[in-house]
Amino acid sequence: MEQIAILDFGSQYTQVIARRIRELNVYSTILRYDTPAAEIKKLGIQGIILSGGPSSVYAEKAPLPDKAIFKLGIPVLGICYGVQLMGHYLGGKVEKGAKREYGKGILSVLDKDCPLFKDLPSDLQVWNSHGDKLTRIPKDFVAVARTDNSEYAAIVHSGKRFYGIQFHPEVVHTPKGREILSNFVLGICGCAATWTMKNYIEQACAEIRAQVGKERVILGLSGGVDSSVAAALLHRAIGDQLTCIFVNNGLLRAKEAEVVQEVFGRNFQIRLQYENATKLFLSKLKGVTDPERKRKVIGKTFIDVFQAATKKAGKAKFLAQGTLYPDVIESVPIDGNPAHMIKSHHNVGGLPKNMKFQLVEPLRCLFKDEVRTLGAELGLPKEIVQRQPFPGPGLAVRCLGDLTPSKLDILREADRIVVEEMKAADWYYRTWQSFAVLLPVRSVGVQGDERTYAFTIALRIVESQDGMTADWVKLPYELLEKISTRITNEVRGVNRVVLDLTSKPPGTIEWE
């Protein structure tokens, strides 16, 4: 498989570079900045991109690559810190600029024949983010573009196919950045645009079969996007060697247990073990009001239930998880020392070490939207592959205060109405999350000429790219009115609906 390697020097944009290359239908992989050249050669890489980063090449703990990467005979593109590294390693000079260059700028292309700027205009808007700059370029390099602040904004060694640019082509603020990356990946590196989800399915199935052989695999199926797609892919690869365990903790959305059993058990014919632990979870949560305590109780109870369920499922050697690519990429802090921050909050994360399974992670090289595309290619319904994120503790973090079956039923019904109306108005798939929250607040109301004293439902509807930051969505008043009217008319025990107008930060998306 043709692929481009990105050496990560701690840039906030490293994952964006990887995404942009995959959008060109070429596979990209992110590697540590100090990955040995010999290892890169074994991977059969077609080209290397040196990412940006917050360090100076002269800093005491600056992250530096294996110098032998420049002797592999494959094209190299240095971006921002990457071009400074290239200049520093190959005989040029890097100094702190008289003035820093941040934000939009104009790049003037000096050599229209340079393959990196093929079919692009002479003047390009670009995005800069640097304080250092090249003041002398290495021998046999030439400058092919400049900005007002840098005469070496783009440099080339055409004989060795080394390219360096001081700006960031991966961000949207460089409008022609996609074309620049395409010229490097497809033109200079000669990659074919053949990496598609259809091809990935074949490749992934082959890798799964090679890893597990004839052994059995267990997957904790939550009904969320990641575990659902992992289940469908594993089933495509190994069929009845897979057993999915679905735990109903009593904190699921309306009809969720039925939908999961219908889609995976009856439609996909996946071996599905259903564990209804509703009474157990609610008994453990009785009287618990502290949010963190709720999470710990739910996590501990899930482990106990899942561990018992695996024994009932029979002997299995492998445990599958829906781990995604961002979960396994090691981050690099500004001092250059790898942080080894591999996340552990996967679909059945936190399982005890005495569960002697080997891991299968069939989605570990994919980003979230690629997982959704894969799910659609595997035949999963839109309601599953495009569903909004749902917290691991379920409705427990949306029902404030103590949890009771009646309060959860109220919340479940209100949430169902929110989802129904958002879908009917074509807003559900345009937002990151839209859901109801049951507040531990009762207020006086009038319903059917009677005085009521009932609960309040808060609507939380936000837009976001990754859940790290979020803003509330400005829904049409007519839609908000319809949701509110339906909830107060149809959900017994609720007489008031309010709208949460808080962004993240300062608030969080979930209320607990």
Side-chain angles (χ1 to χ4, degrees), residues 498-511:
V498 298
L499 179 63
D500 183 349
L501 306 184
T502 314
S503 298
K504 178 185 178 182
T508 54
I509 294 178
E510 300 291 346
W511 275 51

Side-chain angles (χ1 to χ4, degrees), residues 182-194:
S182 175
N183 284 338
F184 177 72
V185 172
L186 303 181
I188 295 165
C189 297
C191 293
T194 56

Side-chain angles (χ1 to χ4, degrees), residues 9-60:
F9 294 93
S11 171
Q12 59 181 320
Y13 301 130
T14 298
Q15 289 191 36
V16 181
I17 300 171
R19 292 297 320 285
R20 295 292 173 262
I21 294 171
R22 293 188 184 193
E23 288 167 4
L24 298 171
N25 296 119
V26 175
Y27 183 68
S28 61
T29 184
I30 297 174
L31 303 175
R32 283 172 50 101
Y33 66 89
D34 55 357
T35 300
E39 185 177 324
I40 294 174
K41 185 176 182 179
K42 285 181 183 177
L43 293 173
I45 300 295
Q46 271 64 49
I48 297 172
I49 293 179
L50 310 178
S51 83
S55 300
S56 168
V57 294
Y58 297 117
E60 183 180 350

Side-chain angles (χ1 to χ4, degrees), residues 194-252:
T194 56
W195 191 75
T196 63
M197 275 303 126
K198 190 172 183 178
N199 291 341
Y200 176 77
I201 291 173
E202 298 173 6
Q203 169 199 333
C205 286
E207 290 175 356
I208 291 167
R209 293 181 192 119
Q211 181 183 1
V212 307
K214 299 294 185 182
E215 300 290 340
R216 293 183 60 241
V217 179
I218 285 176
L219 169 71
L221 181 62
S222 69
V225 177
D226 303 340
S227 68
S228 296
V229 175
L233 180 59
L234 284 160
H235 187 254
R236 174 76 66 92
I238 59 175
D240 285 344
Q241 289 174 245
L242 172 69
T243 297
C244 291
I245 297 175
F246 176 61
V247 177
N248 184 348
N249 59 9
L251 305 168
L252 304 177

Side-chain angles (χ1 to χ4, degrees), residues 8-10 33 55-56 59 61-65 81 85 332-337:
D8 180 20
F9 294 93
Y33 66 89
S55 300
S56 168
K61 294 184 178 180
L64 301 174
Y81 178 78
L85 268 176
V332 180
I334 59 174
D335 64 2
N337 294 319

